[in-house]
């Protein structure tokens, strides 16, 4: 079977999973789901299931990693062995090390690290079920977990991808679209200012297509940002209700 | 460890003298157990188990590979546990440490030695190809008693596992297919049905029933763990109880009320009477947990 010839999108703009070109997959976010972590978040994004937990600010060890002027942000993206079609060997590989790095850097930009010299803020992202777009899901979940942990931030970062399939620019690539599409453009932004915190692209886009995809991803980010805020509000409201009891 | 466990130890033993525990339970009762299966779509089987605040996720992946030379017609299982740093401030990333290896081995033994998975029925072609079963355990939230949570998660995940025949059928040649079909006849004797349903095969012209099969399993034993603090025996220790415990004993019992596995841990000791107390508690709690597991599996 020649899967690369698979028709990913119809001429009417209908995609394999029935979405239109500008539709996101279904997203569900729960804040504060873990007991031991300082902050946590469970996120489902289409077929992705991601759990993020924040520990800190706490003393950075080993000590040579400490920065006397600000906190370091250490995100660790990890995929469960059973999260993908063929079992993944446990432990970090080159891909997850890279993703951990770009996510750390994106989060570092919005966290008020200067308030916590010599400290470390550890963000652990576990991908439990994977179906394209795990880095966006991971970063989005990490942001909510940071809020849940009460880490001071300039903004709540958010991430979303756009891409190109069968000649059409579309939002939020699904599994087949990611594997057999033409291009993928994940970004993360600070939604209040529009600053870009993460940007990666693979595939082939014209400048015109890039601009379209980028604008589409920005819009996607704003939508996801609202869902993040609702999740956080819901957590606060449930805590408030508990206190009143 | 610091001063905190010392203070907690005082508090926990004082309560225990009055017959109480920090979370209000009796000595031999468990926290609320919650089992949810089929939580990971990409896995062949999966389960999330919560015992109180402790949360463990187990996923099963299967593959076809070479058997061990000394057991050419037997499937292969392996168990790994990841203490991901998400679950506790004390867990660090990196290769598995002592505690992760011990946990994986105890869970592995529980499944392997009681022959819960009928590995002899997972041979595709003797000496060449057998099914590999990977049990991967992820600790998500650590509030004590990982042994019971991880064992239960592994069992629940295995009991919902479907052998992914449809994904691998294309990798088999004619001989291997025939051999596997013979195996299947043996495994899933369906009265009145001669033709054993075979795996999904998109290239085949005759469309047989297209289905993946449940992993061949027998009724599993259930593990229950108790710890000893001074002279008190407490079942299902939470984190605070576990870190000050003198000794730990895990007992696995089957549905006939027989003992199937035991493991003692930590540097303290048990008396004969205490061991009997743990066995009795393991039988009682084991029944309850078995009921819950069956309920969750819709039996």
């Amino acid at each position: 079977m020649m899967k690369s010839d698979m028709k990913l999108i119809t001429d009417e703009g209908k995609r394999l999973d029935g979405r239109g070109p500008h539709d996101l997959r279904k997203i569900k976010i729960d804040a504060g789901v873990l007991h031991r972590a300082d902050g946590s978040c469970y996120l489902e994004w289409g077929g992705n299931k991601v759990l993020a937990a924040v520990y800190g600010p706490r003393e950075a060890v080993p000590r040579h990693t400490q920065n006397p002027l600000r906190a370091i942000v250490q995100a660790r993206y990890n995929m469960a062995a059973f999260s993908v079609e063929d079992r993944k060997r446990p432990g970090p590989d080159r891909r997850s090390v890279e993703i951990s790095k770009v996510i750390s850097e994106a989060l570092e930009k919005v966290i008020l690290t200067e308030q916590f010299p010599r400290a470390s803020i550890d963000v652990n992202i576990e991908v439990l079920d994977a179906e394209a777009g795990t880095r966006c899901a991971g970063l989005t979940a990490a942001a909510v977990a940071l809020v849940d942990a009460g880490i001071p931030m300039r903004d709540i970062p958010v991430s979303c991808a756009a891409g190109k399939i069968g000649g059409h620019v579309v939002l939020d690539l699904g599994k087949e679209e990611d594997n057999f599409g033409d291009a993928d453009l994940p970004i993360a932004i600070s939604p209040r200012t529009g600053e870009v915190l993460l940007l990666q692209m693979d595939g082939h886009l014209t400048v015109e297509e890039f601009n379209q995809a980028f604008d589409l991803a920005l819009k996607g980010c704003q939508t996801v940002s609202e869902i993040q805020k609702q999740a956080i509000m819901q957590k606060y409201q449930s805590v408030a209700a508990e206190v009143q009891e | 460890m610091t001063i905190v466990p010392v203070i907690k130890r005082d508090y926990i033993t004082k309560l225990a003298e009055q017959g109480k525990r920090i979370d209000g339970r009796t000595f031999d009762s468990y926290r609320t157990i919650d089992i949810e299966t089929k939580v990971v779509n990409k896995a062949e089987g999966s389960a999330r188990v919560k015992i109180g605040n402790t949360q463990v996720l187990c996923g099963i992946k299967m593959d076809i590979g070479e058997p061990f030379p000394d057991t050419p017609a037997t499937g292969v299982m392996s168990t790994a546990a990841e203490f991901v740093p998400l679950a506790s401030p004390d867990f660090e990333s990196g290769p598995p440490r002592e505690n992760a290896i011990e946990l994986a081995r105890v869970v592995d033994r529980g499944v392997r030695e009681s022959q819960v998975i009928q590995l002899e029925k997972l041979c595709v072609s003797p000496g060449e190809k057998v099914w590999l079963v990977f049990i991967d355990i992820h600790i998500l939230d650590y509030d004590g008693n990982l042994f019971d949570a991880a064992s239960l998660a592994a069992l629940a995940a295995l009991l919902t596992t479907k052998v992914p025949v449809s994904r691998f059928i294309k990798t088999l040649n004619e001989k291997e297919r025939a051999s596997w079909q013979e195996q299947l006849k043996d495994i899933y004797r369906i009265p009145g049905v001669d033709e054993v349903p075979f795996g999904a095969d998109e290239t085949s012209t005759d469309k047989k029933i297209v289905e993946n099969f449940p992993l061949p399993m027998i009724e599993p034993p259930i593990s229950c763990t108790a710890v000893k603090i001074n002279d008190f025996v407490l079942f299902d220790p939470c984190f605070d109880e576990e870190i000050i415990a003198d000794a730990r004993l895990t007992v696995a019992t089957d549905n006939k009320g027989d003992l199937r596995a035991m493991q003692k841990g930590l540097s303290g000791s048990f008396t004969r009477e205490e061991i009997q107390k743990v066995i009795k508690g393991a039988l009682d709690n084991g029944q309850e947990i078995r009921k819950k597991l069956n309920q969750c599996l819709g039996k």
Side-chain angles (χ1 to χ4, degrees):
Chain A
M1 189 167 45
M2 290 290 286
K3 279 206 166 164
S4 52
D5 290 342
M6 193 193 270
K7 195 137 174 81
L8 294 168
I9 186 161
T10 65
D11 297 335
E12 293 78 45
K14 198 160 189 206
R15 294 154 75 176
L16 284 179
D17 54 6
R19 282 185 290 158
H22 296 180
D23 296 341
L24 282 165
R25 288 171 287 180
K26 198 165 171 269
I27 298 175
K28 187 189 129 194
I29 305 179
D30 287 322
V33 291
L34 297 179
H35 168 73
R36 287 300 295 281
D38 296 320
S40 60
C41 171
Y42 175 71
L43 177 146
E44 289 184 8
W45 185 323
N48 292 309
K49 297 191 177 98
V50 175
L51 201 51
V54 170
Y55 286 92
R58 57 183 176 183
E59 187 184 5
V61 281
R63 292 187 76 167
H64 69 82
T65 61
Q66 293 183 355
N67 183 326
L69 299 177
R70 61 180 64 87
I72 55 169
V73 177
Q74 305 188 86
R76 178 182 160 279
Y77 165 103
N78 185 43
M79 284 186 114
F82 44 78
S83 65
V84 281
E85 198 77 25
D86 295 317
R87 178 175 184 267
K88 182 199 167 289
R89 273 178 66 105
D93 51 16
R94 294 171 66 88
R95 175 178 171 276
S96 59
V97 169
E98 182 217 330
I99 294 177
S100 301
K101 179 168 183 288
V102 292
I103 291 180
S104 300
E105 289 161 349
L107 297 175
E108 196 172 342
K109 170 72 187 160
V110 291
I111 295 173
L112 297 171
T113 52
E114 58 276 18
Q115 291 190 1
F116 310 104
R118 299 188 185 282
S120 166
I121 295 167
D122 300 323
V123 183
N124 301 296
I125 301 165
E126 293 294 324
V127 178
L128 307 175
D129 212 348
E131 192 201 70
T134 54
R135 75 195 66 191
C136 296
L139 195 150
T140 302
V144 175
L146 282 164
V147 175
D148 186 43
I151 305 289
M153 291 194 287
R154 292 178 182 85
D155 199 356
I156 305 167
V158 61
S159 178
C160 185
K164 183 183 161 194
I165 54 168
H168 298 253
V169 172
V170 298
L171 185 64
D172 184 23
L173 300 187
K175 183 173 167 246
E176 289 82 7
E177 298 173 339
D178 189 25
N179 289 347
F180 308 111
D182 308 318
D184 185 16
L185 175 74
I187 65 165
I189 60 162
S190 169
R192 207 159 44 80
T193 60
E195 288 167 293
V196 177
L197 306 171
L198 177 149
L199 189 149
Q200 297 182 299
M201 200 277 271
D202 58 45
H204 185 163
L205 290 175
T206 65
V207 174
E208 178 53 31
E209 283 166 346
F210 169 82
N211 288 332
Q212 274 182 36
F214 187 79
D215 287 340
L216 199 53
L218 277 180
K219 256 198 217 153
C221 282
Q222 294 294 351
T223 313
V224 180
S225 175
E226 288 307 312
I227 304 173
Q228 280 179 312
K229 287 176 195 157
Q230 279 168 21
I232 293 160
M233 283 305 289
Q234 207 159 30
K235 171 72 185 170
Y236 288 153
Q237 278 162 356
S238 73
V239 171
E242 256 174 53
V243 171
Q244 269 172 1
E245 276 174 24
Chain B
M1 273 297 160
T2 49
I3 187 76
V4 178
V6 180
I7 298 166
K8 279 185 177 156
R9 183 175 185 108
D10 257 13
Y11 177 55
I12 289 170
T13 49
K14 282 226 174 74
L15 276 178
E17 278 157 20
Q18 303 163 31
K20 292 183 194 158
R21 289 171 79 171
I22 39 177
D23 48 11
R25 280 184 288 159
T26 59
F27 287 177
D28 50 6
S29 64
Y30 265 67
R31 293 167 286 179
T32 309
I33 299 179
D34 184 48
I35 309 169
E36 197 185 337
T37 57
K38 298 177 189 159
V39 288
V40 178
N41 288 328
K42 283 277 158 57
E44 269 70 78
S46 60
R48 178 166 56 213
V49 166
K50 292 183 194 168
I51 302 184
N53 285 321
T54 289
Q55 228 185 109
V56 171
L57 179 66
C58 177
I60 311 292
K61 288 302 292 180
M62 292 188 68
D63 201 344
I64 288 180
E66 270 183 40
F68 288 114
D70 54 339
T71 52
T74 311
V76 175
M77 61 167 282
S78 81
T79 311
E82 275 198 79
F83 281 40
V84 287
L86 182 107
S88 157
D90 306 322
F91 293 172
E92 287 170 21
S93 56
R97 308 272 164 98
E98 250 181 2
N99 51 4
I101 291 171
E102 186 195 17
L103 179 73
R105 284 186 58 83
V106 169
V107 173
D108 187 272
R109 210 175 307 143
V111 174
R112 191 187 298 273
E113 298 307 324
S114 53
Q115 289 158 354
V116 174
I117 309 176
Q118 297 176 291
L119 289 172
E120 71 282 1
K121 294 188 173 175
L122 291 179
C123 170
V124 177
S125 172
E128 288 164 12
K129 285 187 176 175
V130 296
W131 286 102
L132 316 178
V133 185
F134 296 98
I135 304 172
D136 284 285
I137 296 159
H138 248 56
I139 312 302
L140 301 182
D141 211 350
Y142 172 43
D143 191 19
N145 202 7
L146 290 180
F147 280 51
D148 292 358
S151 313
L152 189 57
L155 292 177
L158 286 167
L159 285 163
T160 53
T161 295
K162 291 273 175 75
V163 180
V165 184
S166 56
R167 207 166 77 233
F168 287 99
I169 196 76
K170 287 192 206 86
T171 68
L172 302 180
N173 63 33
E174 278 306 316
K175 191 181 130 233
E176 287 159 352
R177 287 186 190 203
S179 162
W180 174 237
Q181 184 143 19
E182 275 309 304
Q183 285 281 325
L184 276 180
K185 271 189 192 162
D186 209 32
I187 300 171
Y188 304 98
R189 249 181 255 283
I190 306 166
V193 180
D194 244 4
E195 196 80 334
V196 173
F198 205 42
D201 187 356
E202 291 160 39
T203 56
S204 169
T205 43
D206 59 330
K207 295 267 179 211
K208 288 174 184 163
I209 304 168
V210 169
E211 211 182 331
N212 293 329
F213 294 92
L215 197 63
M217 304 254 306
I218 57 162
E219 181 81 29
I222 303 284
S223 295
C224 290
T225 297
V227 293
K228 186 173 152 185
I229 300 168
N230 287 358
D231 289 328
F232 304 106
V233 172
L234 310 178
F235 270 85
D236 178 31
C238 66
F239 176 76
D240 287 339
E241 291 166 346
E242 197 167 272
I243 51 168
I244 61 150
D246 304 310
R248 182 190 67 219
L249 185 60
T250 303
V251 178
T253 56
D254 65 17
N255 58 348
K256 295 193 193 79
D258 295 336
L259 307 182
R260 301 303 291 264
M262 294 173 90
Q263 170 106 346
K264 191 230 156 210
L266 307 182
S267 56
S269 62
F270 283 100
T271 65
R272 193 166 189 278
E273 287 72 38
E274 284 163 350
I275 292 172
Q276 275 164 348
K277 205 191 271 181
V278 176
I279 291 175
K280 181 169 183 313
L283 283 167
D284 295 346
N285 282 305
Q287 280 313 346
E288 286 303 306
I289 296 171
R290 176 171 289 108
K291 234 184 263 170
K292 196 155 258 177
L293 179 61
N294 286 337
Q295 220 169 43
C296 156
L297 298 168
K299 280 191 202 160

